[in-house]
DNA sequence: TTGTACGCGTTATCAG
DNA sequence: CTGATAACGCGTACAA
């Protein structure tokens, strides 16, 4: 046996006094091969004795498959993302593939993020809510991994790629229609100021369009981070308190809800609140929060279907589907 | 070039009319090698033209390194875990290694979970709060990946392995001392009924020990899931409402807080609440919740230090450190 | 500065 | 049922 490193297949073979090929056969776990019980026993003993584990890279090199599905997402704190992670895990659980989650953060350059993510050797890629615009994303994917099966999932996509999208614009339209129907006029859009979503994207655009259509002035409020302090600053320095806030996410809405309480405002009466995502916590806020619920379960299931097809049949064409979110009205905006 | 599949290094070489070795050299990005500008240009052009990407498995096979750090954790929904993910990502960001997060769920058998996680070829493993007992875990690690650098992080560990632990027992002791000092006597321990933590572990044990020492009867309350419905059932069917609840996690405490409100009880006055983990949301509850805060940042930083040492110097001995959590007292238990 | 040749640890295809 | 042997795609001495 080699002195220093990990034992190899041939170390096992030597120890067991048989050929390397046979070791492979035993360890392959295939049922269509027949192996004598004694040989099998010898191999297993040697494996145990030597603490042998197959080298995954070598195996992948031979088979051309790693058995991994890459999930690309921003690992920054977000309850919605955490929920998607949970769901994706459930979907993959019944499979013989393994989920490998990789950080793709908008803070780094897209290219830098990608080259990192691509260091994980996967059979297919799911890119979730990578907020780099869909097109930039598609171009980078072409550049960096043209042959790898790929599906983007969530709010952003490119028509050049397969995707399962969520029509947040429809969600924003519905939310705004609802908000306006309650008679409120001074409605602001609230989002993290360091994010793209504050000045563009389906939610922002839906808000602006609805306000314009109603002949009302728009007001964009940016919040630096989702800390109570920054939220308080944002909410007090933006002028007179708006009658309603369309929040970019439920995380934003929940933080706003807390700060409004501190400021002596009553959510639902003094200020209406609508969030996006549909995370569980909106239900458990002091005043339950209206939200545009994302179809997380369907989204994950369908995405996996798409990707699986691409992995199994490399010639699969583009698969594209847009899902509709669902407005869930609660006390924060009812009256 | 081969017909069907991805282009290889030698396809690039052929296209550029040079040797495969030179292609490798150009793409290695090393500065100590000297390559003529024309050659470099030819290679780059061929790479672009053919859409060549190096095969990671082959590269890993050669170098013996994948550049990946495996983070093993349960991907089920939990705000604390999400926070750890966020922090770990920050720690690894300044590194040239890539984080590959893998689901290791206590619901599956430990062995099954492990063999899955081990399908990701990594240079080192961080196992976070894998609630399988530390010893079981260590044994499985020995069985499945004896040579791979390994550090466990969080509430569970084995003395046979390197770890960065958090002394939740000390946290529980402190929390109970605090709770008892407020004069409350009917104190219950609240945890998910399907989890190990309901009948064992540092938090449970600390609770039981403190109650016994105070000559008070213990009361364990199990909650099926963290839905308001299940929580309501747990809290109403456990007999007369306890004066205080030591909650297994902040997620549990927050859910309890919501349900108590619904039941007309005032948190902090009628029922005291203490949670574990120190997630941000405890601060933003209607009545801010006392919590045993985990040293997430230090924990992640130190764990990485340990792992890095093992990766760099394979002969590194056992590295073990236990961190103390910090009791943060808020209104939910003050008076 | 570039090319040749070998080996990393597997799986898979042949004979035997 | 088992043993040689040929790839898989790449990095790197060594030679030119």
């Amino acid at each position: 046996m080699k002195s220093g490193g990990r034992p190899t297949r041939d170390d096992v073979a030597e120890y067991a006094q048989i050929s390397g090929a046979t070791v492979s056969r035993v360890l392959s776990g295939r049922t269509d091969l027949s192996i004598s019980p004694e040989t099998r026993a010898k191999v297993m003993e040697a494996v145990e004795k030597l603490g042998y584990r197959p080298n995954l890279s070598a195996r992948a090199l031979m088979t051309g498959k790693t058995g991994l599905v890459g999930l690309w997402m921003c690992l920054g704190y977000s309850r919605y993302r955490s929920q998607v992670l949970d769901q994706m895990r459930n979907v993959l659980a019944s499979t013989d593939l393994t989920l490998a989650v990789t950080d793709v953060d908008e803070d780094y350059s897209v290219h830098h993020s990608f080259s990192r993510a691509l260091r994980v050797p996967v059979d297919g890629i799911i890119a979730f809510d990578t907020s780099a615009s869909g097109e930039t994303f598609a171009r980078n994917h072409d550049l960096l991994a043209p042959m790898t099966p790929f599906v983007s999932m969530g709010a952003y996509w490119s028509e050049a790629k397969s995707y399962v999208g969520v029509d947040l614009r429809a969600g924003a339209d519905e939310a705004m229609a609802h908000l306006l129907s309650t008679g409120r006029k001074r409605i602001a859009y609230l989002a993290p100021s360091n994010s793209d979503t504050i000045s563009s994207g389906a939610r922002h655009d839906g808000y602006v369009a609805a306000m314009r259509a109603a002949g009302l002035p728009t007001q964009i409020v940016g919040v630096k981070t989702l800390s109570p302090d920054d939220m308080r600053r944002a909410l007090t320095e933006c002028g007179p308190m708006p009658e309603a806030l369309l929040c970019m996410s439920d995380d934003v809405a929940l933080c706003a809800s807390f700060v409004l309480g501190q400021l002596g405002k009553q959510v639902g009466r003094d200020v209406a609140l609508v969030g996006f995502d549909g995370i569980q916590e909106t239900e458990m806020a002091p005043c339950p929060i209206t939200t545009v619920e994302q179809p997380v379960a369907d989204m994950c299931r369908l995405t996996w279907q798409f990707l699986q097809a691409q992995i199994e049949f490399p010639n699969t064409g583009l698969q594209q589907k847009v899902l509709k979110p669902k407005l869930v009205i609660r006390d924060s905006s009812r009256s």
Side-chain angles (χ1 to χ4, degrees), chain A residues 42 48 118 198 245 294:
Chain A
K42 276 199 293 187
E48 183 120 352
L118 280 168
I198 190 151
L245 294 167
Q294 309 236 28

Side-chain angles (χ1 to χ4, degrees), chain A residues 129-145:
Chain A
D129 263 9
T130 65
S131 82
S133 89
E135 300 304 334
T136 311
F137 199 90
R139 190 159 358 102
N140 270 278
H141 173 241
D142 270 343
L143 239 50
L144 298 175

Side-chain angles (χ1 to χ4, degrees), chain A residues 80-235:
Chain A
Y80 170 53
R81 282 193 219 113
S82 184
Q83 198 178 308
V84 169
L85 213 50
D86 187 22
Q87 194 58 235
M88 208 65 219
R89 164 190 95 118
N90 289 336
V91 170
L92 267 293
S94 59
T95 302
D96 65 339
L97 281 94
T98 303
L99 196 60
V101 186
T102 317
D103 184 34
V104 177
D105 195 337
E106 47 226 78
D107 283 359
Y108 319 128
S109 79
V110 181
H111 193 85
H112 177 263
S113 259
F114 273 46
S115 14
R116 269 224 172 179
L118 280 168
R119 293 181 59 169
V120 188
V122 295
D123 295 339
I125 297 168
I126 296 170
F128 169 65
D129 263 9
T130 65
S131 82
S133 89
E135 300 304 334
T136 311
F137 199 90
R139 190 159 358 102
N140 270 278
H141 173 241
D142 270 343
L143 239 50
L144 298 175
M147 314 291 285
T148 310
F150 179 93
V151 179
S152 70
M153 179 172 94
Y156 312 95
W157 62 83
S158 154
E159 292 301 336
K161 296 281 160 192
S162 289
Y163 60 80
V164 174
V166 179
D167 187 356
L168 255 29
R169 176 57 192 266
D173 291 346
E174 206 181 342
M176 286 304 294
H178 160 64
L179 232 31
L180 288 164
S181 78
T182 66
R184 283 170 247 250
K185 307 223 174 297
R186 297 206 338 281
I187 306 174
Y189 175 69
L190 180 63
S193 46
N194 63 357
S195 152
D196 286 348
T197 57
I198 190 151
S199 57
S200 65
R203 286 160 286 197
H204 168 273
D205 296 350
Y207 163 77
V208 170
M211 292 300 272
R212 294 240 169 97
L216 296 169
T218 63
Q219 182 185 9
I220 310 289
V221 180
V223 55
K224 201 148 166 263
T225 75
L226 288 193
S227 68
D229 284 350
D230 283 329
M231 183 59 84
R232 189 175 313 110
R233 212 163 293 135
L235 254 26

